[in-house]
Amino acid sequence: MGAGPAGSMASKDSGPEGRELFGIADLAEEFGITTRTIRFYENKNLIHPARVNGSRVYTRRDRARLALILRAKTIGSSLVQISHFLDLYGEQGEGRAEQMDYVVRETTKAIAELEMKQELIRDTLKELREIRQGCMERLPGYTPADNSHKV
Amino acid sequence: MGAGPAGSMASKDSGPEGRELFGIADLAEEFGITTRTIRFYENKNLIHPARVNGSRVYTRRDRARLALILRAKTIGSSLVQISHFLDLYGEQGEGRAEQMDYVVRETTKAIAELEMKQELIRDTLKELREIRQGCMERLPGYTPADNSHKV
DNA sequence: GAATCAATTGACCTATACGTCAAACAGTGA
DNA sequence: TCACTGTTTGACGTATAGGTCAATTGATTC
């Protein structure tokens, strides 16, 4: 089965931010990934775009969801983990206390894991800064507390 | 080619911390990974244990290196990235200014990337806490600012 | 209405990071 | 000495995360 275009002629606006609906190529370009990757995520049930004439159409919510996925990936989560993540983000609306309790427990776990990662990163950063500092001191033309070209 | 044991009878001490040398199984157990994983890392040139009668023998430095690898993995680095990481950790000793300069540049890049990840995690944590908070408020028996069973 | 162009599904391929045997071999204890 | 345990290399299998190609289809343009 094929589908139609959703090319440069956007559904409503043409600005990159004022848009409401997006084609798969738009999102791919915006996030610097391939359409294959986006379709792969859909296959893994991470995003559920609408279909128009067989073509995928993404809302802002879909786009935000994709952004969440990519952010989580950068942090080091697997797609399976991300899938559970996304459930938490979606589930807040309503639901019985049972569901709420579940979300509370899961978010608590996720928070704990991220806090641990945060600590590991902090430690690593400290070490890297020490290494860099040690190197700089051995570099010719070094003067202690050289903040002349500080960032 | 085969090899000999390095079993429960440790090279020197038997305590888990006072040790100086370790067998592959010791490290595997200590870090909760398999020996296969450790051998895989060696195959990728991430660790270079000594050999005694064909069997791998790990020093404290090797053990620290393995710890670095696993920490970096948790943070979300690939083994290739970790390989470069480890080069930086090893290279600080001496070397010409050229090498020092290289290390300074690479550590700077690594630091920037980690700082970015740190921010992403901060953002995610903030959102997760909000979600959890929102759920808790909808939970029965909730009283605002309920710190009665705080961690 | 034929060409073109973007998008679709399906199939197969790739790289990473290991898991899982299998066969061989080295020490140790009985 | 023989069995047993732990280790070695090698080979193959698996899960994840996509890349790449092919054939098709649908909307737009000429």
Side-chain angles (χ1 to χ4, degrees):
Chain A
M1 314 118 195
S8 53
M9 167 276 219
S11 307
K12 294 203 161 190
D13 287 3
S14 58
E17 265 310 320
R19 299 267 286 279
E20 190 66 37
L21 298 174
F22 311 85
I24 190 170
D26 298 329
L27 294 186
E29 193 188 2
E30 179 176 352
F31 291 110
I33 59 181
T34 68
T35 61
R36 169 67 170 115
T37 298
I38 297 178
R39 268 182 282 124
F40 184 73
Y41 293 164
E42 183 177 348
N43 216 257
K44 294 286 174 183
N45 272 312
L46 299 182
I47 21 182
H48 319 288
R51 295 296 185 118
V52 176
N53 292 324
S55 279
R56 293 166 174 85
V57 175
Y58 300 84
T59 66
R60 282 196 185 177
R61 280 188 65 85
D62 295 322
R63 179 165 137 281
R65 226 175 141 81
L66 181 57
L68 277 181
I69 294 169
L70 297 176
R71 188 181 67 182
K73 274 215 58 189
T74 303
I75 288 173
S77 305
S78 74
L79 295 187
V80 172
Q81 291 171 247
I82 291 173
S83 176
H84 298 114
F85 244 60
L86 289 173
D87 290 347
L88 299 180
Y89 272 83
E91 213 88 52
Q92 342 103 299
E94 305 91 24
R96 304 183 313 287
E98 215 177 84
Q99 302 251 342
M100 292 295 99
D101 194 60
Y102 171 78
V103 174
V104 169
R105 272 182 288 116
E106 289 303 307
T107 49
T108 300
K109 281 204 294 182
I111 287 169
E113 267 195 40
L114 282 183
E115 282 173 342
M116 183 207 52
K117 279 193 187 182
Q118 213 172 27
E119 262 191 68
L120 295 183
I121 290 180
R122 259 198 292 273
D123 295 346
T124 306
L125 273 174
K126 195 179 167 196
E127 291 168 18
L128 285 176
R129 291 196 180 107
E130 280 169 9
I131 289 173
R132 188 178 58 171
Q133 190 61 24
C135 279
M136 281 170 55
E137 286 169 7
R138 273 162 194 77
L139 226 41
Y142 172 82
T143 48
D146 183 0
N147 295 335
S148 57
H149 57 298
K150 200 180 174 186
V151 183
Chain B
M1 310 123 193
S8 52
M9 166 275 216
S11 307
K12 293 202 160 189
D13 287 3
S14 59
E17 265 311 318
R19 299 266 285 281
E20 190 67 36
L21 299 174
F22 312 84
I24 191 168
D26 300 327
L27 294 186
E29 193 188 2
E30 178 175 352
F31 290 111
I33 59 181
T34 68
T35 61
R36 170 67 172 114
T37 297
I38 297 178
R39 268 182 283 122
F40 184 73
Y41 293 164
E42 182 178 349
N43 216 258
K44 294 286 173 182
N45 272 311
L46 300 182
I47 22 182
H48 318 287
R51 296 293 186 120
V52 176
N53 293 324
S55 279
R56 294 167 174 84
V57 175
Y58 299 84
T59 66
R60 282 196 186 177
R61 280 188 64 84
D62 295 323
R63 178 165 137 282
R65 225 175 142 81
L66 181 56
L68 277 181
I69 294 169
L70 297 175
R71 188 180 67 181
K73 273 214 60 185
T74 303
I75 289 174
S77 304
S78 73
L79 295 187
V80 172
Q81 291 172 246
I82 291 173
S83 175
H84 297 114
F85 243 60
L86 289 172
D87 290 346
L88 299 179
Y89 273 84
E91 213 87 53
Q92 343 102 298
E94 305 93 21
R96 304 185 312 289
E98 217 177 85
Q99 302 250 341
M100 292 293 100
D101 195 61
Y102 170 79
V103 174
V104 170
R105 272 182 288 118
E106 290 304 307
T107 49
T108 301
K109 281 204 293 182
I111 288 169
E113 267 195 40
L114 283 184
E115 283 173 342
M116 183 206 51
K117 280 193 187 182
Q118 212 172 26
E119 262 191 69
L120 295 182
I121 290 180
R122 258 199 293 273
D123 295 346
T124 306
L125 274 173
K126 196 180 164 195
E127 291 168 17
L128 286 176
R129 291 195 180 109
E130 280 169 9
I131 289 173
R132 189 177 58 170
Q133 191 61 23
C135 279
M136 281 169 54
E137 287 170 8
R138 273 164 194 77
L139 225 42
Y142 171 81
T143 47
D146 182 1
N147 295 334
S148 57
H149 57 299
K150 201 181 174 186
V151 183

